[in-house]
Amino acid sequence: MLRYVALKVGRALFVVWAAFTVTFVLLFVLPANPVDLLFDPAEINAIPDEVKAQVAANYGFNKPVALQYLDRFGHALIGDFGNSVQSGKPVTHAILEVLPSTLVLASGALVLAVLIAFGIALVATATRRPWLRNLVEALPSGAVSVPVFLSGILVLQIFSFRLGWFPSFGDDGVKSLILPLITLAIPVAGPIAQLLVRSFGTELHSGYVTTSWAKGATRGSILVRDVFRNASLPALTIAGVTFGNLIAGSVITETVFARKGIGRMTQTAINTLDVPLVAGIVVLVAASFALINLVVDLIYPVLDPRLRATLTTGGTA
């Protein structure tokens, strides 16, 4: 078990390190002159050379690449990614200001997506009507196929502009959170539901289910008591993986609904070529992704006796 934990922690740390390294190479090494990225392209030719030299010294661009990497890596370990070019604020502080809004949106969307996915799987497995089962099983494919921006525009048009049930834009109260949650949850629920439908179908034909049938158990009790737990384990893994989709979707969702958050900040940082802020956001997202998947990997043996038995006897995962 200790080896399993060490392996998973090592993988998580490697993901974060790789994200930092790739970001450093793309933003600070590959550009012919990274200083130019810090200025408006329309005004770059009007910037005096001494100003560029001063900026290069402030950001450490005049040092050898290896020293730049070690210096930035050392500062990143303590959460220091420099200052935002646009606002002048420390990158960490700027991110922490909008992070709670994105966490609320992403967490709520993930919970809603899981609930939708379980509802689809239970209905598809419990129903005895083939036409209803086929209809319900087709819903996840449709959800995956709909782009986030399109679903956002549709829910805005229907529930805000036409019906007037929810505010169109902004970040003011619970009502303003409903439509962004639905928009972000729909594409995430699709792959989770697809996996659950297959898992429920497989578990329903397992030997222990046959035993429950023989004991006179009802279909509903078998689904809830026997099938639900075993079929839910694969969904735990994919729910962690889809966190990346939530972050990517938040860029579009927060833009469509004019909400502050990491997604909208990312778009602004890219548009304004705010290199330190982009680097900080990339590392933060990678660290969040690695942390969530690490938690999932560590919880999995607790929920799955088969994996726990394998690890106890010295097997690998």
Side-chain angles (χ1 to χ4, degrees):
M1 180 64 74
L2 184 60
R3 180 184 177 187
Y4 174 83
V5 173
L7 178 62
K8 297 302 181 181
V9 172
R11 287 179 179 176
L13 293 176
F14 174 79
V15 168
V16 179
W17 170 81
F20 173 84
T21 302
V22 171
T23 302
F24 174 82
V25 172
L26 292 178
L27 296 180
F28 299 103
V29 177
L30 290 184
N33 186 2
V35 177
D36 293 342
L37 297 177
L38 304 177
F39 297 99
D40 188 340
E43 302 176 357
I44 189 65
N45 294 327
I47 304 297
D49 291 339
E50 54 269 20
V51 174
K52 293 182 180 180
Q54 182 63 42
V55 171
N58 291 340
Y59 282 90
F61 293 143
N62 55 348
K63 299 178 182 179
V65 173
L67 291 181
Q68 289 186 48
Y69 176 82
L70 293 176
D71 182 58
R72 294 185 186 280
F73 185 69
H75 282 83
L77 290 177
I78 58 175
D80 180 12
F81 295 92
N83 295 331
S84 168
V85 175
Q86 297 299 318
S87 66
K89 298 179 180 179
V91 168
T92 304
H93 292 172
I95 292 176
L96 291 178
E97 286 180 357
V98 299
L99 182 60
S101 178
T102 299
L103 287 179
V104 170
L105 178 61
S107 301
L110 182 59
V111 172
L112 180 59
V114 171
L115 292 176
I116 293 173
F118 272 108
I120 291 175
L122 286 173
V123 172
T125 307
T127 183
R128 297 179 182 274
R129 297 177 175 85
W131 67 268
L132 180 58
R133 181 172 59 251
N134 294 334
L135 176 63
V136 173
E137 289 180 350
L139 293 178
S141 299
V144 174
S145 303
V146 178
V148 175
F149 75 89
L150 180 58
S151 60
I153 294 174
L154 287 176
V155 297
L156 269 177
Q157 181 67 26
I158 296 173
F159 297 104
S160 182
F161 298 150
R162 289 187 177 274
L163 299 177
W165 291 353
F166 303 100
S168 305
F169 308 107
D171 186 10
D172 185 19
V174 177
K175 291 188 68 175
S176 65
L177 186 62
I178 301 300
L179 295 185
L181 278 181
I182 296 173
T183 300
L184 194 55
I186 289 175
V188 175
I192 300 177
Q194 288 176 328
L195 179 61
L196 283 175
V197 168
R198 289 195 297 268
S199 298
F200 272 54
T202 301
E203 294 295 331
L204 194 60
H205 295 87
S206 299
Y208 67 89
V209 173
T210 303
T211 303
S212 297
W213 282 116
K215 292 180 179 179
T218 63
R219 187 181 184 88
S221 65
I222 290 175
L223 286 175
V224 174
R225 187 184 59 205
D226 298 330
V227 174
F228 185 84
R229 179 180 178 181
N230 292 329
S232 301
L233 291 176
L236 179 64
T237 301
I238 196 172
V241 172
T242 53
F243 176 77
N245 294 338
L246 289 173
I247 297 299
S250 69
V251 176
I252 302 174
T253 304
E254 291 172 354
T255 301
V256 170
F257 293 94
R259 293 178 56 87
K260 67 177 182 179
I262 294 296
R264 197 174 183 194
M265 175 182 281
T266 303
Q267 182 197 34
T268 302
I270 293 174
N271 291 339
T272 58
L273 297 178
D274 196 334
V275 175
L277 187 55
V278 172
I281 292 173
V282 170
V283 175
L284 169 69
V285 172
S288 303
F289 183 82
L291 178 61
I292 289 179
N293 281 274
L294 175 62
V295 172
V296 170
D297 288 336
L298 296 181
I299 291 178
Y300 210 96
V302 177
L303 301 178
D304 190 348
R306 294 167 296 185
L307 179 57
R308 185 167 62 249
T310 301
L311 296 175
T312 305
T313 56
T316 58

